[in-house]
Amino acid sequence: MKNKTRRRPEYRSGRPTLTREAIGRAVLDLVADSGPAALNMRALAARLGVTARALYNYVDDRDDAVRCAAMLVQAELHLPPLDPPRWRDSVRELCGALRAWYARFPNSLRLIDAGVQASAHPHMLANNEQIFAFYRAIGISPAKAGLAWAVTITTIAGHSEIDAWYGRLPDTEAEEWAPTPRGQLDAHPELDLAHTFAVHAAGPDLGREAVYESTVDMLILWLDALRNS
């Protein structure tokens, strides 16, 4: 009879046992609720219902706990099918997947900063391979494929901060937002704001979705230029 590898029980005395994955998920939950500044070992222990000392049996410190979270985040990015003949539609679908990914893990961008060296999850490496193959298939050179992916990520990552900002606005303001409220313009009659008044009067559509769609349009135009350079 073959020996079976013993696994740590998922629960002990009615409480979930600690694992690096459980710690990573608690990091993400804590940061989503209270922001990155709230993350410390005591707060994390309280979230898990354990002592801070118990955490050190699984992670070295706060940064190591963040690494656990980073591995979980990387594993949750699921790419859509990428079809070179319809590459513009594929880029839109890719951006939608990235946007949903960032929305699923609020504040994770600010949590996983340059000071924390997180390992690359195999799933993320496979994603990168798929992306580079797609960009090369649409005519972007190997020398620029990395740039194309980096700009795609940072463009949507940056927009995720705008999404979060819109999310903090009242619903009416989030749907109909002007560059400067009319009342603030009227408060400064001494300024020549003719162009600002003209833009304001035209009723620009700066709602959340309009800004996002324009951002993706801009990215696609840039990628098209990269293909032909």
Side-chain angles (χ1 to χ4, degrees):
M1 182 176 179
K2 293 184 179 180
N3 292 328
K4 293 184 178 180
T5 302
R6 295 187 63 187
R7 296 181 60 187
R8 182 183 295 273
E10 293 185 4
Y11 289 86
R12 181 174 292 157
S13 301
R15 290 185 176 182
T17 57
L18 283 178
T19 63
R20 286 180 66 84
E21 179 178 349
I23 291 170
R25 293 200 180 280
V27 167
L28 294 172
D29 290 343
L30 177 60
V31 169
D33 290 344
S34 305
L39 178 62
N40 57 57
M41 296 299 276
R42 287 184 180 277
L44 184 57
R47 186 90 184 192
L48 287 162
V50 300
T51 64
R53 178 176 295 180
L55 289 179
Y56 289 105
N57 292 321
Y58 299 85
V59 294
D60 295 335
D61 50 25
R62 178 188 183 278
D63 285 354
D64 197 23
V66 170
R67 292 186 192 98
C68 295
M71 292 293 280
L72 291 174
V73 171
Q74 291 180 60
E76 292 299 323
L77 175 57
H78 303 291
L79 301 182
L82 301 173
D83 183 14
R86 47 182 292 277
W87 72 268
R88 291 175 179 82
D89 290 338
S90 288
V91 169
R92 288 189 183 280
E93 292 159 9
L94 172 60
C95 289
L98 286 169
R99 188 187 190 194
W101 182 52
Y102 287 124
R104 185 175 176 186
F105 300 105
N107 294 317
S108 61
L109 287 175
R110 283 174 280 174
L111 171 68
I112 305 169
D113 57 32
V116 178
Q117 296 297 319
S119 299
H121 192 285
H123 181 71
M124 184 60 75
L125 294 175
N127 280 345
N128 288 345
E129 177 68 14
Q130 186 177 344
I131 290 292
F132 293 146
F134 169 69
Y135 281 143
R136 293 189 66 187
I138 67 173
I140 296 176
S141 70
K144 294 181 179 177
L147 174 65
W149 184 213
V151 171
T152 301
I153 290 174
T154 54
T155 297
I156 303 304
H159 195 276
S160 73
E161 292 294 318
I162 301 298
D163 269 338
W165 178 81
Y166 271 114
R168 293 190 291 270
L169 291 176
D171 290 342
T172 53
E173 291 185 30
E175 294 304 319
E176 300 177 1
W177 180 78
T180 305
R182 179 59 187 258
Q184 294 184 28
L185 300 180
D186 293 336
H188 296 280
E190 76 282 4
L191 298 178
D192 182 4
L193 301 174
H195 295 296
T196 304
F197 275 109
V199 170
H200 195 285
D205 186 357
L206 292 178
R208 180 186 306 196
E209 294 309 311
V211 172
Y212 170 73
E213 291 298 335
S214 294
T215 300
V216 176
D217 287 343
M218 180 179 63
L219 176 64
I220 289 172
L221 287 171
W222 180 77
L223 288 172
D224 201 16
L226 207 61
R227 293 169 66 232
N228 298 313
S229 62

